[in-house]
Amino acid sequence: MKLPNSNARERSAVIALCEKLGKAHADRDADAVLDCYAPDAVVYDMAPPLGRRGADRRNLEEWFATWNGPISIESADVELIVAEEMAYLAGFNRMRGTKIDGEQVDLWFRTTMCLRKLGGRWCITHDHSSVPFHMDGSYRACIDLEPETTA
């Protein structure tokens, strides 16, 4: 992970929050996921709608129910910048696991997050995850891509 000059303690706290979020997905723990977000966070995830304010417990629990076992999320090519009370990170995430119908998921996607220190703790205030789409008129999502550094 590329870490520019910043306060090491604050940087470690942001990394710990990201690790907590990854564990919450592995455990399919909606409460732990929601605890990582500010209540009014801007969320642009891959599921409809285009965006919303705040992480949505119902949608999250319904999505978790479609998985059989843990959801593994690992990161690559992460850029992390941490200031005193704001942080920014961007990179690629790889999500793997098994759906309840037996489908094996192995998907790379892009993520950008902004975080703020609110009430003495780091919270995600903006989360944007996406995959590119084919611009050949089909508008199909490109879900078979991998970062060049992992190929």
Side-chain angles (χ1 to χ4, degrees):
M1 182 180 287
K2 178 182 174 186
L3 300 174
N5 292 332
S6 61
N7 180 303
R9 180 178 44 195
E10 298 302 337
R11 187 172 61 234
S12 293
V14 169
I15 292 168
L17 177 73
C18 294
E19 290 171 348
K20 175 182 176 179
L21 184 61
K23 182 176 180 343
H25 279 88
D27 295 343
R28 299 182 339 208
D29 182 343
D31 288 332
V33 170
L34 294 171
D35 192 52
C36 295
Y37 287 82
D40 64 345
V42 174
V43 179
Y44 301 140
D45 57 16
M46 291 186 283
L50 282 174
R52 68 177 151 277
R53 283 278 180 175
D56 186 313
R57 172 185 298 282
R58 185 177 51 85
N59 285 346
L60 188 58
E61 288 174 342
E62 287 174 0
W63 181 67
F64 282 159
T66 67
W67 293 84
N68 183 18
I71 304 164
S72 169
I73 299 181
E74 56 194 72
S75 301
D77 292 341
V78 176
E79 177 182 18
L80 173 62
I81 299 171
V82 179
E84 289 183 25
E85 295 192 5
M86 293 196 72
Y88 157 88
L89 68 86
F92 300 114
N93 283 334
R94 184 180 193 183
M95 179 173 55
R96 293 187 288 177
T98 305
K99 303 293 276 187
I100 58 173
D101 65 2
E103 175 190 3
Q104 296 293 311
V105 174
D106 189 349
L107 170 72
W108 282 97
F109 61 97
R110 310 174 288 202
T111 296
T112 303
M113 288 195 290
C114 298
L115 302 93
R116 287 185 54 206
K117 197 167 187 183
L118 302 171
R121 70 182 197 98
W122 287 99
C123 298
I124 300 165
T125 56
H126 181 98
D127 183 358
H128 186 151
S129 297
S130 65
V131 294
F133 68 91
H134 292 280
M135 298 184 72
D136 59 4
S138 70
Y139 302 111
R140 292 176 299 117
C142 301
I143 60 171
D144 58 348
L145 300 177
E146 296 181 14
E148 290 180 16
T149 59
T150 63

